[in-house]
Amino acid sequence: MDRDPSGTSDPARRGSLSPEQEDKLNEWAEPSPEAEHALDALTHFKSVIGPEGNLISNWDGLDDDSQSWYCAGLLRKLFDDGYRELEERLDSQPRVAAAVGLSSKDPPHYSTLSRQIGMLDENTLEQAARWANNAALHQFLPRGKSSDSLPEDPSKPRFYYELVDEDWSVGMDEKMHQATRVVGEYLALTTPHLRSDRDRTAPNFKHPIESFIRLLAHIALEDWHLESGADILRWQSDDDVDVPTASTVRKYARKQEVEELEEKFLKASCALLERDGLLPPGPVHLAYDVTKVRWYGAEHEWTSGGPKDANTTDFWHYAVLSATGPDRNYVLGATPIKQQTEVAKALRRLLRRVHTHADFDIGRIYFDSEMYREDIVTTCREIGADFLIQAKDAGEPGRLLEEARDGHPAKSTNIEFAGLTSPNKRVNAFAYPIHPGEVGSDDREESHTAWITDYDVDGRDLRGLAYQYRNRWQVETAIRQLKHDFQGRCASDNRGVRTMYFGAAQLFFNYWVALNHELPYHLGNPAAFHLNGQETLHAVRDADVRDAKGGDNTRV
């Protein structure tokens, strides 16, 4: 056991201490709230702001004395002390003095403090003190965050504004600064999975993958084609900012196999979702759908017809696999298909990739009535996936809907479905009231929806299944947003180029969902906070992945 050289750990000897010594001993044993706040702020300054940020250049290269003067200067700004008051604080708060790197037994004279701190940049100290103070406030939360888990420049937590009765709001500058910083971290997580096999150290290597992503975000933001978007972005950017040409982007996409590109973007999305807190709790339920992208070009083997829409009847069709949740719907992957007969094959391919690259447990898969098909059921069974498929209003499901008109659920087991006629291949079915909050529930003729599944409908919570299925409908809205808000204009008929556009849009959409879930914490959790698609694309365009871990990743 370590010995106490002062002997003051022995209660029998503490009675001989003077009141001043007793106060100092109590300060060591149990700091005041003010001292505790100073200790938390200093911890954040020394563990995050100094070594991980760009606010103080070469922090790790400074000697101990230089770092101590910075800590003393931060402490002065933290409490708005004069230099005499700072000397007294160091003298009366031994643990704080030790955290600064100075001795409370013989603290520096106020004139020495004035001289040493006066040589430091005052604006740097003020900014560091503001960030450290905000970080220290987070320690008072019921589930306070440790200093290391906070960003360099956190905002005040929500309870602060409630205590001081101040308006709780987030300015646009602060909002975009935080969004750009976090997007830089997202880029650092995802872009390594999108790189080509070129040697990045080769003398002729010029365009990092981040430059492609930045350009694709730019043309999505401005709703431009690639050529004009690249020209304008190059004109707007500083000389040291790399902007690839349109031909370079197309060359990158065309030299890779379409399935290789698809898998890269899926891997990038899965890597993003490994970030703490971005996934819904528990198993991640999936949804599978097919979406159309309008085509105005010449007849093409990969396009097919459909209802007239915006002066065209030709469309590219993409099978899309998404992760669903009450507030977090992510697009995991997409693949173009020629015709409906390829839907089950595409599902198998996408699920194989998710099983390979995702670091989360997969729950059930939701399908709408367009997937009420034998090959979808067969595929789910072959890969061991639980499924819930909205049924057509015919056959046994139609009978269940009739039976359920009295306001109660109805269920049936071992019903015949399409070509699945043998007893061990039949499905179960149930009908349940449409939840009032479901999209379009007021416009439906039926008051119930029917589903087929392999779940035991006699022993399963049907109300829970029907309620959770509601998350599938939000996926359709998500895919529309992906196509309309996060993808630039693409007139190419090359599948590789189109795959890159759709994959980048997928990534930008996932950034947007993740930011709206994560940023409220960084910004004090304002209830009205919302980042729109354009703001997200601005953040992607302005972020610099090279400095993502340095605390300041905004291009200037």
Side-chain angles (χ1 to χ4, degrees):
M1 179 182 295
D2 293 336
R3 300 181 59 189
D4 176 13
S6 69
T8 52
S9 59
D10 182 356
R13 300 185 61 182
R14 291 184 63 175
S16 62
L17 297 177
S18 68
E20 292 78 10
Q21 291 174 317
E22 186 74 26
D23 287 343
K24 285 192 175 183
L25 181 63
N26 290 336
E27 180 65 37
W28 270 104
E30 195 170 325
S32 66
E34 182 181 82
E36 193 69 57
H37 185 76
L39 291 170
D40 289 335
L42 286 166
T43 297
H44 184 71
F45 177 68
K46 294 192 296 182
S47 64
V48 179
I49 296 176
E52 296 186 12
N54 292 333
L55 190 61
I56 301 172
S57 60
N58 194 31
W59 169 266
D60 291 331
L62 298 177
D63 57 33
D64 292 344
D65 286 344
S66 298
Q67 291 187 0
S68 294
W69 295 126
Y70 267 109
C71 290
L74 177 135
L75 190 65
R76 175 175 177 263
K77 291 293 182 182
L78 194 66
F79 295 105
D80 196 24
D81 283 343
Y83 288 106
R84 291 178 186 271
E85 295 169 314
L86 179 60
E87 180 187 356
E88 293 172 1
R89 185 180 300 279
L90 294 170
D91 177 66
S92 63
Q93 297 178 348
R95 288 183 63 184
V96 173
V100 169
L102 299 172
S103 171
S104 64
K105 294 181 180 179
D106 185 23
H109 190 268
Y110 70 84
S111 61
T112 302
L113 291 169
S114 173
R115 183 175 67 256
Q116 295 292 343
I117 296 175
M119 291 189 291
L120 305 177
D121 183 72
E122 186 171 2
N123 292 331
T124 297
L125 291 175
E126 286 182 353
Q127 188 167 344
R130 183 167 62 252
W131 292 348
N133 175 67
N134 292 351
L137 290 172
H138 283 266
Q139 314 298 328
F140 292 95
L141 291 172
R143 293 171 137 187
K145 293 282 186 178
S146 68
S147 175
D148 291 344
S149 68
L150 290 168
E152 177 190 17
D153 51 350
S155 297
K156 293 182 176 69
R158 176 178 182 176
F159 84 92
Y160 168 84
Y161 297 96
E162 296 173 346
L163 286 176
V164 300
D165 195 26
E166 287 185 7
D167 290 337
W168 184 28
S169 62
V170 177
M172 180 57 71
D173 288 346
E174 173 72 358
K175 179 180 179 180
M176 291 308 302
H177 172 72
Q178 292 288 357
T180 303
R181 181 185 62 77
V182 175
V183 165
E185 296 173 7
Y186 293 171
L187 287 165
L189 285 172
T190 56
T191 51
H193 300 284
L194 303 176
R195 292 171 182 159
S196 65
D197 56 1
R198 288 193 59 197
D199 181 5
R200 293 171 57 84
T201 64
N204 62 343
F205 183 85
K206 182 178 180 182
H207 302 292
I209 189 61
E210 305 88 65
S211 65
F212 290 79
I213 297 302
R214 183 169 179 253
L215 174 56
L216 291 168
H218 173 71
I219 64 173
L221 176 63
E222 305 294 349
D223 193 26
W224 281 336
H225 288 287
L226 189 57
E227 285 85 357
S228 56
D231 291 342
I232 296 298
L233 182 59
R234 193 174 300 106
W235 175 72
Q236 291 177 339
S237 302
D238 293 337
D239 292 338
D240 62 340
V241 175
D242 175 67
V243 180
T245 63
S247 61
T248 300
V249 175
R250 294 193 184 96
K251 181 179 179 181
Y252 168 83
R254 287 170 176 165
K255 74 174 184 177
Q256 301 183 71
E257 295 293 334
V258 170
E259 290 195 8
E260 180 186 3
L261 271 174
E262 292 170 354
E263 187 159 14
K264 284 183 175 182
F265 281 106
L266 185 143
K267 287 172 65 177
S269 292
C270 289
L272 172 68
L273 299 186
E274 291 179 15
R275 187 175 170 99
D276 186 40
L278 293 188
L279 278 174
V284 178
H285 303 309
L286 307 179
Y288 184 63
D289 205 353
V290 174
T291 190
K292 300 182 300 183
V293 177
R294 300 182 187 117
W295 175 243
Y296 300 97
E299 184 178 344
H300 192 279
E301 62 173 329
W302 278 84
T303 64
S304 55
K308 187 171 183 179
D309 182 9
N311 299 319
T312 185
T313 56
D314 283 341
F315 303 89
W316 290 79
H317 290 78
Y318 290 85
V320 182
L321 187 66
S322 304
T324 71
D327 60 346
R328 278 160 282 179
N329 294 294
Y330 300 100
V331 177
L332 297 179
T335 183
I337 58 174
K338 281 186 177 181
Q339 48 196 352
Q340 288 297 313
T341 55
E342 298 180 7
V343 168
K345 182 180 179 181
L347 171 64
R348 185 180 291 106
R349 183 164 63 248
L350 288 168
L351 281 174
R352 184 179 67 246
R353 292 172 182 162
V354 171
H355 279 290
T356 300
H357 302 298
D359 189 26
F360 51 79
D361 295 328
I362 298 173
R364 68 186 72 96
I365 308 177
Y366 300 127
F367 303 89
D368 69 4
S369 59
E370 296 300 316
M371 301 293 168
Y372 186 66
R373 303 158 49 117
E374 173 193 354
D375 57 357
I376 292 294
V377 173
T378 301
T379 298
C380 288
R381 287 173 170 172
E382 288 175 351
I383 60 181
D386 294 325
F387 63 88
L388 205 62
I389 306 176
Q390 186 182 357
K392 301 284 188 180
D393 300 347
E396 183 68 2
R399 187 191 68 76
L400 293 178
L401 288 171
E402 288 293 333
E403 183 182 328
R405 285 184 182 276
D406 62 357
H408 295 89
K411 56 190 177 182
S412 182
T413 59
N414 293 319
I415 68 170
E416 293 185 6
F417 170 65
L420 306 176
T421 54
S422 61
N424 65 329
K425 289 188 177 180
R426 295 187 178 189
V427 296
N428 300 329
F430 69 98
Y432 208 88
I434 297 173
H435 190 276
E438 185 174 304
V439 177
S441 60
D442 294 338
D443 301 326
R444 297 194 179 193
E445 295 181 2
E446 297 289 349
S447 59
H448 285 57
T449 299
W451 294 272
I452 60 170
T453 183
D454 275 346
Y455 284 127
D456 177 8
V457 294
D458 290 324
R460 191 80 187 192
D461 176 16
L462 301 182
R463 180 177 181 274
L465 284 176
Y467 184 83
Q468 291 180 38
Y469 183 86
R470 296 172 59 226
N471 294 322
R472 199 218 76 83
W473 299 113
Q474 300 175 35
V475 169
E476 294 186 356
T477 302
I479 295 172
R480 284 196 297 270
Q481 285 180 285
L482 181 153
K483 294 187 298 184
H484 299 150
D485 297 343
F486 294 98
Q487 182 172 295
R489 296 193 179 194
C490 181
S492 175
D493 64 358
N494 181 271
R495 289 175 58 228
V497 174
R498 299 191 70 86
T499 297
M500 186 174 64
Y501 272 61
F502 203 95
Q506 163 193 322
L507 208 55
F508 301 151
F509 173 83
N510 291 339
Y511 289 170
W512 174 65
V513 175
L515 284 169
N516 276 306
H517 180 72
E518 182 174 358
L519 267 191
Y521 166 72
H522 294 294
L523 294 166
N525 198 27
F529 173 84
H530 181 76
L531 195 77
N532 62 37
Q534 284 197 328
E535 290 165 340
T536 300
L537 291 170
H538 269 291
V540 176
R541 190 176 65 178
D542 294 341
D544 188 342
V545 68
R546 292 171 299 181
D547 295 327
K549 296 181 180 181
D552 183 6
N553 56 353
T554 305
R555 291 187 182 275
V556 292

